[in-house]
Each structure stands twice: as C-alpha cells, then as structure tokens.
Amino acid sequence: RLFGDLAHDVLAQVLRSLPETGAIAAARARVAVDVAVPRRAATLLRPEERSQLLRSREAIARAAERVVETLIERGAKVRDVEQDIVLEKDGRTVRGRPDLVVTDPLVVIDSKSGKDAPRREALEHGAAVQLVAYAALLRARDGQWPELAYFLLRSRRLFTTSAALGGLHAVDPLLTVEQSYQRMKKGIARADAELASGWLSAPGVGARVPLPVVRDGELPVASPCQICAF
C-alpha cells in the first residue's frame, strides 16, 4: 500500500511534466521520490529500511520510464492526469479521478501495484468495473468511448483493450467497453431494487442483510462477529 501510494504520486507528477523521453521521466521520478518520501513514506527513512527505499525508488523510476516510452512509441499523448470528472444524472452525483487519460488513441489508464493476472482477466471478461465507470464518465463528457488499460507498476506491463496502444500485446476482450457498461448498469439497477425493498446486498461475497436505518446521514452496519456491541 505504501509503495502503491508513493508510486501513484510520483508517476502523476512525472506525467504532468510531459517528459520528452523515458530516461528523462526516470530521472525526474528519482528526484520526486526523494522529495516525497519524508512526507508520504517516512518509515522508509529508517536505517533498516535503506535497501527497501532504494528498491522502491528504482522500481518507480523504471515504471515511469516504461510508461513514457510506451506512450511515445505508440504516438499517444497525455491529456489528463488525475483530473476529476463529475456527472450529475438521475439524482446522483458520480465522480471519478482516472490516473491517466491519453489520446491518439483515446485510452483511460489506471495504475496498480498488485498482481498482473487479475487485472488482465478483468479486462478480458469485461469486469474492470472501475475503468468502465471512468470510461462512462469520459463518454458522457466527450461523447466518445475510450479503451481501457491497466499499467502494473511492479512488472511495468501495460494491459489494454486498445490494439493501437497495446500492439501485439493488447488484450482481446469478450465485451466492448459499452457492453461492459450496460452490464454494470444492470447490476446497479439490481442494487437499487434491493435497497428499495429494504435489503443490502454484496453479491461478490454472498452477503444479504436487512437495510439498516439511516441516522443523521450515516448508515450503521453491525459487525458480523457479534463479540462486542460495536
């Protein structure tokens, strides 16, 4: 978590500076890590964490280098870096902050520090919900569906549904971005219906409980362990 947060901050700073080459991006990333560590990851300054700090610094620099090199090679241009997108619709406010949006081709990219396989599989099966939500916000604002991508910070791999950005390594999804969004909307409609009938569901973990009463704008949910009265 610490590495992921630090890497996100540094990568955003580097991308906003529009480096001309991957080598420049890496150099800027190393400087940005040194500046950020005291306020964002001070535990890495302990003597026993020296090797971890050096590994993290170099991993983030290489990640910055790779993503910039990929964008340059594919002719993609940075458009937005961690910019809020807000949509008011049907009485709801939907807000998102994509890590990166590029054009030529139009792709929304989310950086992750975890394992590669789950991210690739999510793109393949139309289950990259966060990215699909970002895509829907961009489409509502700009009138065009973007393609989706995950950039894995540790392995420095880019998984994307865009053939123009991914080349031979692009993921071939079972659903288009719009089809994934339509499926997500059905899930939202089901959740709305459950709430309206007085139930709170989390299908992913098989949980379904009576909807608690909202008190002063808060939704109290009892701890399932029942050890205390929390």
Side-chain angles (χ1 to χ4, degrees):
R1 175 75 180 269
L2 185 66
F3 171 83
D5 289 348
L6 180 62
H8 270 84
D9 282 0
V10 170
L11 198 58
Q13 183 177 332
V14 170
L15 289 168
R16 286 192 191 101
S17 73
L18 302 177
E20 295 85 358
T21 67
I24 292 174
R28 290 177 182 175
R30 292 185 182 98
V31 172
V33 168
D34 292 341
V35 171
V37 162
R39 62 183 177 82
R40 290 303 310 270
T43 56
L44 294 177
L45 295 175
R46 295 181 299 184
E48 63 269 27
E49 298 291 346
R50 174 70 178 171
S51 61
Q52 179 63 31
L53 172 59
L54 294 176
R55 285 197 299 270
S56 297
R57 184 175 183 263
E58 195 58 27
I60 293 170
R62 290 190 173 204
E65 182 178 42
R66 178 66 59 84
V67 72
V68 168
E69 285 179 346
T70 301
L71 296 179
I72 292 172
E73 288 171 5
R74 300 295 176 181
K77 299 177 179 63
V78 173
R79 193 184 77 177
D80 300 323
V81 180
E82 291 193 350
Q83 181 175 319
D84 282 338
I85 309 172
V86 181
L87 175 65
E88 302 281 350
K89 187 175 181 181
D90 301 329
R92 277 200 174 107
T93 300
V94 184
R95 182 189 307 273
R97 181 183 286 184
D99 289 340
L100 176 63
V101 179
V102 300
T103 57
D104 302 324
L106 181 61
V107 184
V108 57
I109 303 172
D110 195 32
S111 300
K112 296 294 184 185
S113 60
K115 296 181 179 179
D116 292 12
R119 302 303 175 184
R120 183 183 182 92
E121 291 168 4
L123 289 176
E124 288 174 342
H125 296 97
V129 176
Q130 182 181 5
L131 278 172
V132 172
Y134 289 156
L137 287 170
L138 287 167
R139 198 263 181 185
R141 189 185 70 179
D142 303 333
Q144 180 182 354
W145 284 104
E147 292 293 338
L148 314 178
Y150 282 120
F151 179 65
L152 281 300
L153 293 161
R154 294 183 186 277
S155 67
R156 304 188 296 281
R157 291 177 177 172
L158 182 74
F159 296 138
T160 177
T161 60
S162 168
L165 184 62
L168 295 176
H169 301 289
V171 174
D172 187 16
L174 298 175
L175 303 173
T176 66
V177 179
E178 184 174 7
Q179 288 170 337
S180 296
Y181 173 64
Q182 294 302 328
R183 188 170 70 172
M184 188 176 76
K185 280 180 65 177
K186 291 179 181 178
I188 293 171
R190 285 194 297 270
D192 279 341
E194 289 271 294
L195 289 170
S197 63
W199 291 91
L200 187 64
S201 296
V205 293
R208 188 170 186 266
V209 298
L211 182 66
V213 177
V214 176
R215 300 170 187 159
D216 299 325
E218 296 184 349
L219 186 68
V221 179
S223 170
C225 66
Q226 303 298 316
I227 292 174
C228 66
F230 179 72

